[in-house]
Amino acid sequence: MRLALKWILSIGIGAVFIWLASREWPVEQLVCQDVRLQGVDLICDAEGGGWRLTLPWFVAAFTVLCSVHFLRVLRWRPLLEPIAHHDFWTLNRVCALSFMALFIFPLRLGELARPYLIASHGKVRKSAALGTVAMERVMDGLMMALLLFGVLVSLPVDRDTASYYSLRAGSAIAAAVFLGALGLLVLAHHNKALAIRWIHRLAAPVSRPLADRIAGMVERFIDGLKALPSARNIFFAVLWTILYWLINGFAYWFLALGFGLGEWVSLPVAYAMMAAVAVGMMIPNPPGNVGSFWYFLLLPLYVTGAPDQGAGAVAFALAVWALMLAQYLVFAGYFLVTGKINLGRIWRIQVQRAVEE
Protein backbone atom coordinates (compact mmCIF):
# COMPACT_ATOMS: atom_id res chain seq x y z
CA MET A 1 0.00 0.00 0.00
CA ARG A 2 2.81 2.43 0.91
CA LEU A 3 4.57 1.75 -2.37
CA ALA A 4 1.35 2.39 -4.29
CA LEU A 5 0.87 5.68 -2.43
CA LYS A 6 4.42 6.70 -3.32
CA TRP A 7 3.75 6.02 -6.99
CA ILE A 8 0.54 8.06 -6.86
CA LEU A 9 2.37 10.92 -5.14
CA SER A 10 5.19 10.83 -7.68
CA ILE A 11 2.78 10.88 -10.62
CA GLY A 12 1.03 13.87 -9.07
CA ILE A 13 4.36 15.69 -8.69
CA GLY A 14 5.17 14.89 -12.31
CA ALA A 15 1.81 16.20 -13.50
CA VAL A 16 2.38 19.50 -11.68
CA PHE A 17 5.82 19.97 -13.23
CA ILE A 18 4.61 18.94 -16.68
CA TRP A 19 1.99 21.68 -16.41
CA LEU A 20 4.51 24.22 -15.12
CA ALA A 21 7.05 23.39 -17.81
CA SER A 22 4.78 22.94 -20.82
CA ARG A 23 1.73 25.15 -20.37
CA GLU A 24 3.07 27.63 -22.95
CA TRP A 25 5.01 25.26 -25.18
CA PRO A 26 4.55 25.83 -28.94
CA VAL A 27 3.50 22.23 -29.50
CA GLU A 28 2.64 22.82 -33.15
CA GLN A 29 6.25 23.92 -33.74
CA LEU A 30 7.74 20.95 -31.88
CA VAL A 31 5.86 18.15 -33.60
CA CYS A 32 6.40 18.77 -37.28
CA GLN A 33 5.06 16.79 -40.21
CA ASP A 34 7.96 18.01 -42.32
CA VAL A 35 11.18 16.75 -40.70
CA ARG A 36 14.10 16.36 -43.10
CA LEU A 37 17.83 15.74 -43.08
CA GLN A 38 19.84 18.43 -44.82
CA GLY A 39 23.55 17.69 -44.74
CA VAL A 40 24.38 17.19 -41.06
CA ASP A 41 21.29 19.09 -39.89
CA LEU A 42 17.96 17.61 -38.83
CA ILE A 43 15.38 20.28 -39.62
CA CYS A 44 11.81 20.60 -38.39
CA ASP A 45 9.85 23.17 -40.41
CA ALA A 46 6.58 24.35 -38.95
CA GLU A 47 4.29 27.31 -39.41
CA GLY A 48 5.67 30.15 -37.33
CA GLY A 49 8.90 28.40 -36.40
CA GLY A 50 10.42 25.00 -35.80
CA TRP A 51 13.83 23.80 -34.78
CA ARG A 52 17.14 22.63 -36.23
CA LEU A 53 19.62 20.13 -34.77
CA THR A 54 23.20 19.79 -36.02
CA LEU A 55 23.84 16.08 -35.55
CA PRO A 56 27.63 16.13 -34.84
CA TRP A 57 26.93 18.20 -31.72
CA PHE A 58 24.30 15.61 -30.73
CA VAL A 59 26.87 12.81 -31.10
CA ALA A 60 29.43 14.83 -29.13
CA ALA A 61 26.95 15.33 -26.28
CA PHE A 62 26.17 11.61 -26.14
CA THR A 63 29.88 10.79 -26.11
CA VAL A 64 30.37 13.08 -23.11
CA LEU A 65 27.50 11.42 -21.24
CA CYS A 66 29.01 7.98 -21.89
CA SER A 67 32.38 9.11 -20.53
CA VAL A 68 30.62 10.56 -17.50
CA HIS A 69 29.16 7.13 -16.72
CA PHE A 70 32.64 5.67 -16.30
CA LEU A 71 33.76 8.65 -14.22
CA ARG A 72 30.86 8.01 -11.83
CA VAL A 73 31.97 4.40 -11.49
CA LEU A 74 35.56 5.47 -10.81
CA ARG A 75 34.33 8.01 -8.26
CA TRP A 76 32.63 5.28 -6.20
CA ARG A 77 35.71 3.05 -6.14
CA PRO A 78 37.88 4.97 -3.61
CA LEU A 79 34.90 5.27 -1.25
CA LEU A 80 34.14 1.55 -1.42
CA GLU A 81 37.63 0.09 -1.69
CA PRO A 82 38.65 0.37 1.99
CA ILE A 83 35.57 -1.70 2.87
CA ALA A 84 36.01 -4.36 0.19
CA HIS A 85 37.83 -4.61 -3.11
CA HIS A 86 35.75 -5.04 -6.26
CA ASP A 87 37.03 -5.10 -9.81
CA PHE A 88 36.01 -2.26 -12.13
CA TRP A 89 33.62 -4.34 -14.23
CA THR A 90 31.67 -5.53 -11.20
CA LEU A 91 31.28 -1.92 -10.10
CA ASN A 92 30.32 -0.93 -13.65
CA ARG A 93 27.59 -3.59 -13.78
CA VAL A 94 26.14 -2.56 -10.42
CA CYS A 95 26.31 1.15 -11.24
CA ALA A 96 24.79 0.78 -14.72
CA LEU A 97 21.52 -0.64 -13.45
CA SER A 98 21.51 1.48 -10.29
CA PHE A 99 21.91 4.76 -12.19
CA MET A 100 19.07 3.78 -14.52
CA ALA A 101 16.86 2.81 -11.56
CA LEU A 102 17.60 6.12 -9.83
CA PHE A 103 16.60 8.08 -12.93
CA ILE A 104 13.49 6.05 -13.80
CA PHE A 105 11.99 5.05 -10.45
CA PRO A 106 9.98 7.73 -8.61
CA LEU A 107 10.75 9.44 -5.30
CA ARG A 108 14.39 8.30 -5.51
CA LEU A 109 13.29 4.71 -4.85
CA GLY A 110 16.29 3.56 -6.89
CA GLU A 111 18.69 5.04 -4.34
CA LEU A 112 19.15 1.76 -2.48
CA ALA A 113 19.81 -0.28 -5.61
CA ARG A 114 23.59 0.12 -5.41
CA PRO A 115 23.95 -0.84 -1.73
CA TYR A 116 21.71 -3.88 -2.20
CA LEU A 117 23.37 -5.04 -5.42
CA ILE A 118 26.95 -4.59 -4.22
CA ALA A 119 26.09 -6.27 -0.90
CA SER A 120 24.83 -9.29 -2.85
CA HIS A 121 28.45 -10.07 -3.72
CA GLY A 122 29.02 -10.85 -0.04
CA LYS A 123 32.01 -8.57 0.51
CA VAL A 124 30.29 -5.56 2.07
CA ARG A 125 27.25 -4.90 4.26
CA LYS A 126 24.37 -2.80 2.92
CA SER A 127 24.76 -0.24 5.72
CA ALA A 128 28.43 0.29 4.87
CA ALA A 129 27.69 0.64 1.16
CA LEU A 130 24.87 3.04 1.97
CA GLY A 131 27.37 5.21 3.84
CA THR A 132 29.46 5.57 0.68
CA VAL A 133 26.38 6.54 -1.36
CA ALA A 134 25.48 9.13 1.27
CA MET A 135 28.96 10.63 0.95
CA GLU A 136 28.47 10.85 -2.81
CA ARG A 137 25.16 12.63 -2.43
CA VAL A 138 26.64 15.18 -0.05
CA MET A 139 29.58 15.86 -2.37
CA ASP A 140 27.29 16.19 -5.39
CA GLY A 141 24.77 18.39 -3.60
CA LEU A 142 27.36 20.79 -2.22
CA MET A 143 29.20 21.12 -5.52
CA MET A 144 26.03 21.71 -7.54
CA ALA A 145 24.57 24.23 -5.09
CA LEU A 146 27.80 26.21 -4.89
CA LEU A 147 28.36 26.00 -8.65
CA LEU A 148 24.86 27.24 -9.41
CA PHE A 149 25.16 30.10 -6.93
CA GLY A 150 28.58 31.09 -8.27
CA VAL A 151 27.52 31.02 -11.91
CA LEU A 152 24.39 33.07 -11.24
CA VAL A 153 26.38 35.71 -9.38
CA SER A 154 29.05 36.00 -12.09
CA LEU A 155 26.90 35.90 -15.24
CA PRO A 156 26.24 39.27 -16.91
CA VAL A 157 22.55 38.50 -17.44
CA ASP A 158 19.17 40.12 -17.06
CA ARG A 159 18.72 39.35 -13.37
CA ASP A 160 15.42 41.08 -12.81
CA THR A 161 13.42 37.89 -13.31
CA ALA A 162 11.53 35.51 -11.08
CA SER A 163 13.63 32.64 -12.46
CA TYR A 164 16.86 34.29 -11.32
CA TYR A 165 15.68 34.82 -7.75
CA SER A 166 14.15 31.34 -7.62
CA LEU A 167 17.44 29.79 -8.67
CA ARG A 168 19.41 31.90 -6.20
CA ALA A 169 17.09 30.87 -3.38
CA GLY A 170 17.12 27.23 -4.45
CA SER A 171 20.92 27.09 -4.57
CA ALA A 172 21.19 28.72 -1.13
CA ILE A 173 18.68 26.29 0.37
CA ALA A 174 20.43 23.33 -1.24
CA ALA A 175 23.82 24.48 0.05
CA ALA A 176 22.39 24.81 3.56
CA VAL A 177 20.77 21.35 3.38
CA PHE A 178 23.92 19.60 2.17
CA LEU A 179 26.18 21.49 4.57
CA GLY A 180 23.85 20.32 7.33
CA ALA A 181 24.01 16.78 5.96
CA LEU A 182 27.80 16.96 5.94
CA GLY A 183 27.77 18.15 9.53
CA LEU A 184 25.46 15.28 10.49
CA LEU A 185 27.73 12.75 8.80
CA VAL A 186 30.76 14.11 10.65
CA LEU A 187 28.89 14.16 13.97
CA ALA A 188 27.49 10.67 13.45
CA HIS A 189 30.90 9.32 12.50
CA HIS A 190 32.61 10.70 15.61
CA ASN A 191 29.84 10.66 18.22
CA LYS A 192 27.09 8.13 17.60
CA ALA A 193 25.40 8.65 20.99
CA LEU A 194 25.13 12.41 20.52
CA ALA A 195 23.65 12.00 17.01
CA ILE A 196 21.01 9.58 18.32
CA ARG A 197 20.13 11.95 21.20
CA TRP A 198 19.60 14.83 18.76
CA ILE A 199 17.32 12.67 16.62
CA HIS A 200 15.23 11.77 19.66
CA ARG A 201 15.12 15.41 20.74
CA LEU A 202 13.88 16.57 17.34
CA ALA A 203 11.43 13.76 16.56
CA ALA A 204 10.04 12.79 19.99
CA PRO A 205 7.75 15.85 20.29
CA VAL A 206 6.01 14.67 17.12
CA SER A 207 5.84 10.97 17.95
CA ARG A 208 7.98 8.91 20.33
CA PRO A 209 7.47 5.62 18.38
CA LEU A 210 8.45 7.49 15.22
CA ALA A 211 11.53 8.86 17.00
CA ASP A 212 12.53 5.34 18.08
CA ARG A 213 12.05 4.04 14.56
CA ILE A 214 14.08 6.83 12.95
CA ALA A 215 16.78 6.44 15.60
CA GLY A 216 17.03 2.72 14.84
CA MET A 217 17.39 3.35 11.11
CA VAL A 218 19.99 6.07 11.68
CA GLU A 219 21.89 3.88 14.15
CA ARG A 220 22.26 1.15 11.52
CA PHE A 221 23.34 3.79 9.02
CA ILE A 222 25.92 5.20 11.48
CA ASP A 223 27.36 1.72 11.91
CA GLY A 224 27.90 1.76 8.17
CA LEU A 225 29.65 5.12 8.39
CA LYS A 226 32.30 3.57 10.63
CA ALA A 227 33.71 1.90 7.55
CA LEU A 228 34.13 5.14 5.61
CA PRO A 229 37.50 5.52 3.88
CA SER A 230 40.53 7.52 4.87
CA ALA A 231 41.15 11.16 4.00
CA ARG A 232 43.29 10.01 1.06
CA ASN A 233 40.42 8.03 -0.46
CA ILE A 234 37.95 10.85 0.12
CA PHE A 235 40.40 13.22 -1.59
CA PHE A 236 40.40 11.06 -4.71
CA ALA A 237 36.62 10.72 -4.57
CA VAL A 238 36.30 14.52 -4.44
CA LEU A 239 38.77 14.80 -7.32
CA TRP A 240 36.74 12.38 -9.46
CA THR A 241 33.57 14.27 -8.47
CA ILE A 242 34.96 17.59 -9.68
CA LEU A 243 36.17 16.03 -12.94
CA TYR A 244 32.85 14.23 -13.44
CA TRP A 245 30.74 17.38 -13.08
CA LEU A 246 33.10 19.60 -15.08
CA ILE A 247 33.00 17.21 -18.03
CA ASN A 248 29.25 16.63 -17.67
CA GLY A 249 28.56 20.32 -18.31
CA PHE A 250 29.97 19.99 -21.82
CA ALA A 251 27.13 17.63 -22.78
CA TYR A 252 24.59 20.39 -22.08
CA TRP A 253 26.71 22.96 -23.91
CA PHE A 254 27.31 20.78 -26.98
CA LEU A 255 23.62 19.99 -27.33
CA ALA A 256 22.69 23.67 -26.90
CA LEU A 257 25.09 24.51 -29.74
CA GLY A 258 23.48 21.76 -31.77
CA PHE A 259 20.09 23.44 -31.41
CA GLY A 260 21.49 26.86 -32.32
CA LEU A 261 21.27 28.30 -28.80
CA GLY A 262 24.89 29.45 -28.69
CA GLU A 263 23.81 33.10 -28.48
CA TRP A 264 22.36 32.49 -25.01
CA VAL A 265 24.06 29.31 -23.78
CA SER A 266 27.73 29.79 -22.99
CA LEU A 267 29.60 27.08 -21.07
CA PRO A 268 28.85 28.79 -17.70
CA VAL A 269 25.14 28.83 -18.56
CA ALA A 270 25.37 25.13 -19.44
CA TYR A 271 26.86 24.49 -15.99
CA ALA A 272 23.99 26.50 -14.47
CA MET A 273 21.49 24.28 -16.32
CA MET A 274 23.23 21.14 -15.11
CA ALA A 275 23.33 22.42 -11.53
CA ALA A 276 19.69 23.58 -11.65
CA VAL A 277 18.60 20.07 -12.66
CA ALA A 278 20.69 18.53 -9.87
CA VAL A 279 19.35 20.95 -7.25
CA GLY A 280 15.81 20.48 -8.57
CA MET A 281 16.15 16.75 -8.05
CA MET A 282 16.15 17.42 -4.30
CA ILE A 283 12.38 17.56 -4.74
CA PRO A 284 10.86 14.04 -4.78
CA ASN A 285 11.04 13.06 -8.42
CA PRO A 286 8.27 11.68 -10.66
CA PRO A 287 8.87 8.52 -12.75
CA GLY A 288 11.66 9.21 -15.21
CA ASN A 289 11.97 12.77 -13.86
CA VAL A 290 9.30 13.69 -16.40
CA GLY A 291 8.33 17.34 -16.12
CA SER A 292 10.67 18.35 -13.31
CA PHE A 293 13.78 17.74 -15.44
CA TRP A 294 12.57 20.05 -18.23
CA TYR A 295 11.31 22.70 -15.83
CA PHE A 296 14.57 23.12 -13.90
CA LEU A 297 16.74 22.74 -16.97
CA LEU A 298 15.18 25.72 -18.74
CA LEU A 299 15.18 28.13 -15.78
CA PRO A 300 18.80 29.32 -16.28
CA LEU A 301 18.21 29.76 -20.02
CA TYR A 302 15.39 32.23 -19.43
CA VAL A 303 17.60 34.16 -17.00
CA THR A 304 19.92 34.97 -19.92
CA GLY A 305 17.13 36.71 -21.81
CA ALA A 306 16.46 33.92 -24.29
CA PRO A 307 12.92 33.89 -25.75
CA ASP A 308 10.55 32.15 -23.36
CA GLN A 309 9.20 28.79 -24.56
CA GLY A 310 10.90 29.02 -27.96
CA ALA A 311 10.63 25.85 -30.02
CA GLY A 312 14.41 25.43 -30.17
CA ALA A 313 14.80 25.79 -26.39
CA VAL A 314 12.00 23.33 -25.64
CA ALA A 315 13.32 20.84 -28.19
CA PHE A 316 16.73 21.19 -26.56
CA ALA A 317 15.31 20.41 -23.10
CA LEU A 318 13.48 17.34 -24.37
CA ALA A 319 16.61 16.19 -26.22
CA VAL A 320 18.81 16.49 -23.10
CA TRP A 321 16.33 14.38 -21.15
CA ALA A 322 16.01 11.79 -23.93
CA LEU A 323 19.77 11.58 -24.43
CA MET A 324 20.35 11.07 -20.73
CA LEU A 325 17.70 8.37 -20.59
CA ALA A 326 19.21 6.71 -23.67
CA GLN A 327 22.64 6.68 -22.05
CA TYR A 328 21.26 4.94 -18.95
CA LEU A 329 19.40 2.40 -21.07
CA VAL A 330 22.45 1.66 -23.23
CA PHE A 331 24.68 0.77 -20.28
CA ALA A 332 22.02 -1.01 -18.25
CA GLY A 333 20.42 -2.63 -21.32
CA TYR A 334 23.43 -4.82 -22.01
CA PHE A 335 23.31 -6.36 -18.54
CA LEU A 336 19.52 -6.72 -18.65
CA VAL A 337 19.50 -8.41 -22.06
CA THR A 338 22.33 -10.78 -21.13
CA GLY A 339 20.58 -11.63 -17.86
CA LYS A 340 23.52 -10.59 -15.71
CA ILE A 341 21.20 -8.36 -13.66
CA ASN A 342 17.46 -8.81 -13.25
CA LEU A 343 15.28 -5.69 -13.32
CA GLY A 344 12.72 -7.54 -11.22
CA ARG A 345 15.30 -7.69 -8.47
CA ILE A 346 15.48 -3.89 -8.38
CA TRP A 347 11.70 -3.77 -8.13
CA ARG A 348 11.79 -6.13 -5.15
CA ILE A 349 14.33 -3.81 -3.53
CA GLN A 350 11.78 -1.01 -3.87
CA VAL A 351 9.09 -3.14 -2.24
CA GLN A 352 11.42 -4.14 0.58
CA ARG A 353 12.39 -0.53 1.20
CA ALA A 354 8.72 0.52 1.30
CA VAL A 355 7.96 -2.21 3.82
CA GLU A 356 10.94 -1.32 6.00
CA GLU A 357 9.96 2.36 6.04
Side-chain angles (χ1 to χ4, degrees), residues 69-311:
H69 166 82
F70 293 112
L71 289 174
R72 293 179 73 182
V73 177
L74 290 171
R75 188 265 297 268
W76 194 30
R77 195 171 192 174
L79 293 175
L80 195 62
E81 196 158 44
I83 308 171
H85 176 74
H86 296 83
D87 63 88
F88 175 82
W89 296 110
T90 297
L91 297 180
N92 179 62
R93 182 172 65 251
V94 169
C95 287
L97 192 56
S98 300
F99 295 158
M100 183 192 72
L102 184 59
F103 189 81
I104 292 178
F105 292 158
L107 302 176
R108 304 194 71 84
L109 286 173
E111 194 74 77
L112 282 184
R114 260 194 299 167
Y116 273 81
L117 288 175
I118 201 66
S120 68
H121 290 269
K123 295 182 179 181
V124 59
R125 292 177 293 114
K126 289 192 293 289
S127 58
L130 184 60
T132 65
V133 173
M135 285 296 299
E136 282 189 354
R137 290 293 162 264
V138 170
M139 289 189 295
D140 287 341
L142 277 175
M143 182 168 181
M144 289 301 94
L146 296 175
L147 178 63
L148 179 57
F149 188 86
V151 169
L152 288 173
V153 169
S154 61
L155 281 179
V157 297
D158 177 13
R159 300 180 181 179
D160 191 20
T161 64
S163 296
Y164 175 78
Y165 293 111
S166 297
L167 287 170
R168 283 282 299 271
S171 62
I173 292 171
V177 168
F178 285 107
L179 281 172
L182 179 61
L184 179 61
L185 287 176
V186 172
L187 173 63
H189 185 60
H190 291 285
N191 196 325
K192 174 180 174 180
L194 180 59
I196 297 298
R197 283 201 303 271
W198 270 102
I199 290 170
H200 273 286
R201 185 174 297 176
L202 293 173
V206 178
S207 169
R208 186 166 295 278
L210 177 63
D212 293 337
R213 185 176 179 184
I214 294 175
M217 293 170 59
V218 172
E219 188 170 6
R220 291 192 296 272
F221 176 68
I222 292 173
D223 290 338
L225 289 180
K226 295 301 181 182
L228 282 181
S230 64
R232 178 180 179 275
N233 292 83
I234 292 178
F235 169 78
F236 281 107
V238 171
L239 194 63
W240 282 118
T241 298
I242 294 172
L243 183 61
Y244 149 51
W245 284 114
L246 288 179
I247 292 177
N248 195 35
F250 280 88
Y252 292 76
W253 187 41
F254 289 161
L255 203 55
L257 294 176
F259 277 96
L261 300 174
E263 179 182 353
W264 299 286
V265 182
S266 60
L267 184 57
V269 174
Y271 283 128
M273 290 177 170
M274 174 188 70
V277 170
V279 172
M281 292 305 102
M282 290 177 59
I283 299 172
N285 63 306
N289 291 287
V290 173
S292 59
F293 189 99
W294 313 325
Y295 176 79
F296 288 105
L297 175 66
L298 289 175
L299 284 179
L301 178 62
Y302 299 146
V303 168
T304 66
D308 287 356
Q309 309 297 348

